[in-house]
């Protein structure tokens, strides 16, 4: 057929509000048995970050293996609470609210404080450092609480367009490439089989069914982790790593987490368990930069979760409500002592696409698992001892899903516009390039590019410009609202976006985002 003979609808796919192929959307639920296993799968996936951040930071604080196990328990407990609150009263999207790497830079700045470093007793230094981090988190959480509940973030979102959101959402996934194959390469003999097996089960064999149930597609994460974990344990006990380097043993062995033997059998984390928080203006200002980064990263992740859950983009009112509850979550992080703040878990958003199930109930069940296994310390520690290399193999797929969802927003814009090509191109490129520069500079110079006497200023610059979604957000939103704006409304995708700018602009919003228990009577949407 000649190109000129083709009809327009035959040459292109029309833009669609919701993704095709999702089995269950935000408000529909699989059977209780399937939902419970899917919830457990989300719980297993969130363990990677829950274990990795304390593993990285607790030894720097002077903590021992027992302290690390207690912090991991606390992280899981608070993650469960924050996830439940967000899915019930926040955006109500199926999102897990877990630990954030954005807080690592300001937390290390607190750890390096000379007044704390000079404490000779390691356990005392760990507790005093934890209290200082708690105080900084409690103070800085006010930013998201104020921006959320005052609806200021909703007002700011009026400057967002589908074009401006493409780099933010895409970089929320693609910007995490350092946690993918570079980590697999540290133990390629278990990481690469994990990646190949997971892709094979979830994609090539996804139509294999058991009693008309697509078991491999739904539970590919659990099945592949179980198989490769057993394989890794056989290699470990056979003595294959007996003479390997310490780095190889840490990344490959299944008995190096030191969590099972040090975790208590039963322990309920509680507020101020490390003592009364201490407050410092310098620490608090530095932590505020991470809170701003968390705010932007979560905005992109919320947008991605809405699309993968077959919901409409969250209206400004709902987005602000979610950010407000995330601020409450940061307050809980500070009160309980989780070492770092929290944000939307990108890997769990990607799992919505991999399983094709965007059910809110599944995520709420996973929150129940987090709370349950955080209290039963030994059982939770068993799952938390899974080598991080296995999680990185799964991240390669999950982060890719989120990145692709961000790129899918281009269908609502005019990609034949040179203006749009410039904005998306430079936002994506600098969103990856600038944080990579900050990372490489820090590795080579042993300090970050911003290295002045003002510690809070250093944390502000280094944290913001080390976050790909934040850099992409700043560049894309500024360019989109200042470059040839007049007569570009249609090119930016605003006619499609306009329906979702108010809660009542689309009749589906009420179905997806109304509060439970008829609470909308007391908190009417605007």
């Amino acid at each position: 057929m000649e190109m000129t003979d083709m009809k327009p609808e035959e040459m292109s796919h029309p833009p669609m509000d919701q993704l095709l192929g999702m089995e269950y959307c935000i408000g529909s639920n699989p059977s209780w048995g399937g939902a419970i296993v899917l919830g457990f799968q989300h719980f297993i996936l969130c363990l990677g970050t829950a274990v990795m951040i304390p593993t990285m930071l607790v030894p720097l604080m002077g903590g021992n293996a027992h302290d690390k196990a207690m912090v991991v328990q606390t992280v899981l407990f608070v993650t469960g609470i924050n996830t439940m609150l967000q899915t019930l009263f926040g955006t109500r999207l199926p999102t897990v609210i877990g630990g954030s790497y954005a807080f690592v830079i300001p937390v290390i700045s607190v750890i390096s404080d000379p007044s704390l470093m000079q404490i000779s007793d390691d356990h005392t230094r760990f507790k005093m450092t934890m209290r200082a981090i708690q105080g900084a988190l409690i103070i800085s959480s006010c930013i998201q609480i104020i921006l959320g509940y005052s609806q200021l973030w909703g007002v700011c979102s009026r400057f967002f367009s589908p074009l401006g959101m493409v780099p933010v959402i895409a970089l929320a996934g693609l910007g995490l490439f350092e946690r993918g194959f570079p980590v697999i390469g540290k133990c390629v003999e278990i990481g690469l089989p994990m990646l190949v097996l997971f892709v094979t089960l979830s994609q090539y064999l996804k139509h294999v069914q058991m009693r008309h149930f697509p078991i491999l597609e739904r539970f590919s994460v659990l099945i592949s982790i179980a198989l490769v974990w057993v394989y890794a344990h056989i290699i470990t006990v056979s003595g294959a790593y007996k003479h390997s380097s310490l780095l190889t043993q840490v990344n490959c062995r299944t008995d190096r987490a030191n969590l099972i033997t040090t975790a208590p059998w039963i322990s309920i984390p509680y507020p101020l368990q490390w003592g009364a928080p201490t407050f410092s203006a310098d620490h608090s200002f530095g932590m505020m930069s991470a809170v701003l980064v968390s705010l932007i990263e979560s905005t992109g992740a919320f947008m991605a979760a809405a699309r993968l859950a077959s919901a409409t983009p969250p209206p400004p009112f709902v987005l602000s409500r979610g950010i407000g509850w995330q601020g409450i979550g940061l307050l809980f992080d500070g009160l309980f002592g989780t070492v770092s703040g929290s944000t939307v878990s990108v890997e769990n958003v990607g799992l919505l696409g991999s399983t094709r199930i965007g059910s809110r109930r599944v995520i709420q069940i996973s929150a129940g698992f987090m709370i349950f296994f955080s209290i039963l310390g030994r059982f939770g520690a068993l799952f938390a001892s899974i080598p991080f290399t296995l999680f990185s193999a799964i991240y390669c797929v999950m982060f890719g899903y989120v990145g692709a969802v961000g790129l899918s927003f281009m269908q609502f814009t005019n990609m034949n516009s040179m203006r749009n090509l410039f904005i998306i191109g430079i936002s994506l490129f600098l969103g990856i390039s600038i944080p990579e520069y900050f990372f490489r500079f820090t590795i080579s110079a042993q300090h970050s590019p911003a290295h002045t006497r003002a510690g809070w200023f250093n944390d502000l610059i280094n944290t913001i410009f080390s976050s790909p979604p934040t850099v992409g957000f700043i560049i894309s939103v500024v360019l989109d609202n200042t470059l040839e704006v007049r007569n570009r409304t249609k090119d930016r995708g605003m006619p499609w976006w306009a329906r979702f700018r108010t809660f009542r602009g689309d009749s589906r919003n009420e179905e997806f985002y109304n509060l439970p228990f008829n609470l909308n009577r007391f908190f009417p949407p605007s």
Side-chain angles (χ1 to χ4, degrees):
M1 184 186 290
E2 296 277 342
M3 183 66 74
T4 53
D5 295 334
M6 295 181 69
K7 299 177 182 179
E9 60 269 22
E10 294 174 327
M11 292 189 291
S12 62
H13 299 282
M16 302 193 70
D17 292 347
Q18 296 169 308
L19 291 174
L20 294 174
M22 294 298 290
E23 294 288 338
Y24 294 92
C25 69
I26 185 171
S28 58
N29 303 306
S31 65
W32 275 105
I36 289 171
V37 180
L38 287 163
F40 184 71
Q41 190 167 241
H42 275 277
F43 159 71
I44 290 293
L45 187 59
C46 83
L47 285 174
T49 301
V51 173
M52 193 61 190
I53 292 178
T55 300
M56 182 194 314
L57 297 176
V58 170
L60 299 178
M61 298 162 63
N64 54 29
H66 175 71
D67 295 325
K68 184 179 82 169
M70 292 290 290
V71 173
V72 170
Q73 273 188 273
T74 304
V75 170
L76 282 176
F77 186 80
V78 177
T79 297
I81 292 175
N82 290 343
T83 300
M84 192 66 76
L85 290 173
Q86 187 66 243
T87 54
L88 282 173
F89 309 116
T91 60
R92 306 216 68 214
L93 289 167
T95 51
V96 171
I97 309 299
S100 171
Y101 285 86
F103 290 82
V104 168
I105 292 175
V107 166
I108 289 179
S109 181
V110 174
I111 294 171
S112 304
D113 190 308
S115 63
L116 296 170
M117 291 293 290
Q118 67 183 10
I119 300 175
S120 57
D121 181 67
D122 282 345
H123 189 65
T124 304
R125 178 161 65 89
F126 166 76
K127 282 200 167 185
M128 294 303 293
T129 305
M130 178 66 84
R131 294 175 189 177
I133 294 169
Q134 287 180 262
L137 281 171
I138 290 170
I139 295 296
S140 58
S141 68
C142 296
I143 291 181
Q144 288 195 7
I145 292 173
I146 293 171
L147 285 175
Y149 292 123
S150 69
Q151 290 296 310
L152 279 174
W153 190 240
V155 173
C156 293
S157 71
R158 298 183 184 280
F159 295 98
F160 304 165
S161 72
L163 181 75
M165 286 293 101
V166 168
V168 183
I169 303 169
L171 289 170
L174 302 181
L176 297 170
F177 65 90
E178 283 289 345
R179 281 188 257 160
F181 207 86
V183 180
I184 291 178
K186 294 178 181 179
C187 189
V188 72
E189 58 265 39
I190 66 172
L192 194 56
M194 179 69 194
L195 177 59
V196 173
L197 180 62
F198 177 59
V199 171
T200 301
L201 294 181
S202 65
Q203 301 302 318
Y204 288 98
L205 300 178
K206 64 182 179 181
H207 298 299
V208 174
Q209 297 189 351
M210 183 179 293
R211 295 183 179 179
H212 306 291
F213 185 82
I215 187 169
L216 295 184
E217 180 184 46
R218 298 280 173 86
F219 307 130
S220 53
V221 169
L222 283 180
I223 295 170
S224 53
I225 281 183
L227 292 175
V228 180
W229 192 15
V230 170
Y231 160 68
H233 189 66
I234 292 172
I235 296 177
T236 299
V237 298
S238 67
Y241 301 116
K242 189 176 295 183
H243 303 294
S244 300
S245 66
L246 179 62
L247 184 62
T248 300
Q249 294 194 40
V250 168
N251 286 288
C252 298
R253 293 181 69 102
T254 58
D255 57 358
R256 281 305 176 104
N258 292 326
L259 289 172
I260 299 175
T261 56
T262 54
W265 281 104
I266 297 177
S267 175
I268 302 177
Y270 56 92
L272 310 183
Q273 59 187 334
W274 314 106
T278 58
F279 300 94
S280 162
D282 198 35
H283 296 162
S284 299
F285 277 117
M287 200 68 75
M288 286 178 186
S289 60
V291 172
L292 291 172
V293 168
S294 166
L295 170 73
I296 293 168
E297 291 179 350
S298 293
T299 298
F302 281 139
M303 296 287 184
R307 191 142 178 77
L308 286 170
S310 292
T312 54
F317 174 79
V318 174
L319 197 58
S320 279
R321 192 174 71 193
I323 293 302
W325 276 104
Q326 188 167 299
I328 297 294
L330 284 169
L331 179 62
F332 287 155
D333 290 331
L335 289 173
F336 282 84
T338 59
V339 176
S340 77
S342 54
T343 189
V344 176
S345 171
V346 176
E347 54 266 36
N348 288 91
V349 172
L351 187 56
L352 302 178
S354 178
T355 58
R356 296 198 296 158
I357 294 179
S359 169
R360 182 191 296 125
R361 177 184 290 174
V362 167
I363 300 300
Q364 292 171 338
I365 290 172
S366 77
F369 277 118
M370 295 170 204
I371 295 171
F372 177 76
F373 282 113
S374 66
I375 294 173
L376 296 178
R378 288 287 174 96
F379 291 101
L382 172 64
F383 300 116
S385 64
I386 299 171
F388 189 69
T389 309
L390 302 189
F391 291 109
S392 295
I394 298 175
Y395 291 168
C396 290
V397 177
M398 300 310 173
F399 294 160
Y401 261 115
V402 175
V405 169
L407 298 178
S408 76
F409 273 76
M410 288 194 290
Q411 68 185 297
F412 308 112
T413 68
N414 178 13
M415 291 314 296
N416 292 313
S417 163
M418 293 302 296
R419 170 192 181 272
N420 289 4
L421 290 175
F422 169 76
I423 292 174
I424 289 181
I426 194 172
S427 300
L428 286 172
F429 183 82
L430 290 181
I432 294 174
S433 187
I434 291 176
E436 182 66 10
Y437 160 74
F438 271 69
F439 174 74
R440 293 190 181 187
F441 185 98
T442 303
I443 294 296
S444 60
Q446 294 300 303
H447 64 79
S448 301
H451 190 60
T452 67
R453 293 183 178 180
W456 65 270
F457 176 79
N458 298 339
D459 291 342
L460 177 69
I461 298 299
N462 295 327
T463 302
I464 287 177
F465 290 100
S466 293
S467 165
T470 306
V471 175
F473 173 85
I474 293 170
I475 295 171
S476 66
V477 172
V478 169
L479 289 177
D480 188 36
N481 285 278
T482 57
L483 186 64
E484 301 178 27
V485 181
R486 186 173 296 179
N487 301 323
R488 293 292 184 176
T489 299
K490 190 174 181 180
D491 285 354
R492 300 166 66 203
M494 296 308 287
W496 172 79
W497 193 255
R499 286 178 296 152
F500 313 114
R501 300 294 288 274
T502 60
F503 190 85
R504 305 197 187 282
D506 191 292
S507 58
R508 294 168 294 178
N509 288 340
E510 189 170 333
E511 173 193 350
F512 298 137
Y513 300 115
N514 258 352
L515 290 173
F517 317 123
N518 208 18
L519 288 174
N520 279 75
R521 292 180 303 167
F522 307 103
F523 307 100
S526 56

